[in-house]
Amino acid sequence: MKTRAITGFFFVLVLLAAVLFSAYAFSIFFLIVALLSQAEFYKMITSDQIKPQVIGGLVLGAVVFSLSIMVTLFAIPSKLLLLVIPFAIGIYLLELYKKNTHPFLNIALTFFGLIYAVLPFIFFYKLGFLMQDYQYSYPLSFLLLLWTNDTGAYLVGKQFGKHKLFERHSPKKTWEGFIGGLVLSVLVAIVIHHYFGGLTVFQWIGVGLIISIFGTMGDLTESMLKRSLQVKDSGSLLPGHGGLLDRFDGLLVAAPLVYVFLKLLI
């Protein structure tokens, strides 16, 4: 428990520093987090039969995220994102030179590592630039609401939880905990509106609801992945907490939806 508390404290400290310090720190930090998460995914699924292209996938992930950063921060022409295409085709070509049993499964899972573990962080990253110039209020609010939902679900579920939410994938989650996290997220969204503004109170509540509902689904999705692979944690980078995918599982589903929601509003 002590190790978990110390790890959590310093990780949150570094995370908040990256969000609050500058657009460049924010960019570099989440580029690294995204690639480490992608590497965790590849490590989890690799077996004697399944062999995703780890190096090729990570290079593709780095190219996609780096180009997104350059388009956002330095206003390079968005058509340069087309450079992703030859790197993507390279995944197919590389598989031709390998003697693997399931080549197309390897190709599919290499690309899925990008979709599952990198693209959501790009959408989260873009939350910081909804108003063109970098504003930490949106990504910070997202994280606060995500943590609020997790905390509320845990505390209420532990105290009052009786009805299982999705026992097949996560035996400890309950409907009572889910509702507790959702209610607390709505309350914190109202507080965020008071301090940050930017959106109406109902729009902030909408963001809180999306994060609560789909953040929970992201958590369940990662639990489903780990159970299918019979692993306890996605990695061991964070002692006492597991891996980065374990810490950001809710973000993986909620961030793209929050970005779309806010993009349509602003």
Side-chain angles (χ1 to χ4, degrees), residues 15 25 42-43 55 63 74 78 94 128 187 198 204 208 227 244 253:
L15 175 60
Y42 289 147
K43 186 176 181 180
I55 301 300
V63 169
F74 305 111
S78 57
L94 287 172
L187 294 176
W204 274 117
R227 283 184 174 275
L244 288 170
V253 174

Side-chain angles (χ1 to χ4, degrees), residues 19-33:
V19 173
L20 296 173
F21 186 70
S22 70
Y24 298 104
F26 180 63
S27 303
I28 293 170
F29 180 81
F30 279 97
L31 169 62
I32 293 171
V33 167

Side-chain angles (χ1 to χ4, degrees), residues 167-235:
E167 189 171 10
R168 182 157 56 96
H169 297 306
S170 187
K172 294 183 179 180
K173 289 191 180 300
T174 63
W175 279 103
E176 291 82 0
F178 170 71
I179 293 170
L182 188 146
V183 170
L184 191 58
S185 295
V186 168
L187 294 176
V188 171
I190 295 171
V191 175
I192 287 173
H193 166 72
H194 177 72
Y195 283 100
F196 288 149
L199 305 173
T200 69
V201 65
F202 293 107
Q203 289 169 344
W204 274 117
I205 289 173
V207 172
L209 290 173
I210 292 172
I211 291 173
S212 180
I213 295 169
F214 292 98
T216 301
M217 290 183 66
D219 192 335
L220 289 169
T221 300
E222 207 232 352
S223 295
M224 177 175 65
L225 172 64
K226 290 190 293 185
R227 283 184 174 275
S228 69
L229 298 172
Q230 298 182 336
V231 297
K232 183 178 183 295
D233 296 316
S234 65

Side-chain angles (χ1 to χ4, degrees), residues 5 11 27 65 73 78 105 109 115 118 155 163 221 251-252 265:
F11 179 70
S27 303
F65 207 135
L73 270 185
S78 57
L105 180 59
L109 288 172
I115 295 168
V118 176
L155 293 177
H163 302 88
T221 300
L251 179 149
L252 301 179
L265 289 177

Side-chain angles (χ1 to χ4, degrees), residues 44-65:
M44 272 198 297
I45 65 172
T46 299
S47 66
D48 292 337
Q49 298 296 317
I50 300 174
K51 297 179 180 179
Q53 294 184 32
V54 177
I55 301 300
L58 289 173
V59 169
L60 180 60
V63 169
V64 172
F65 207 135

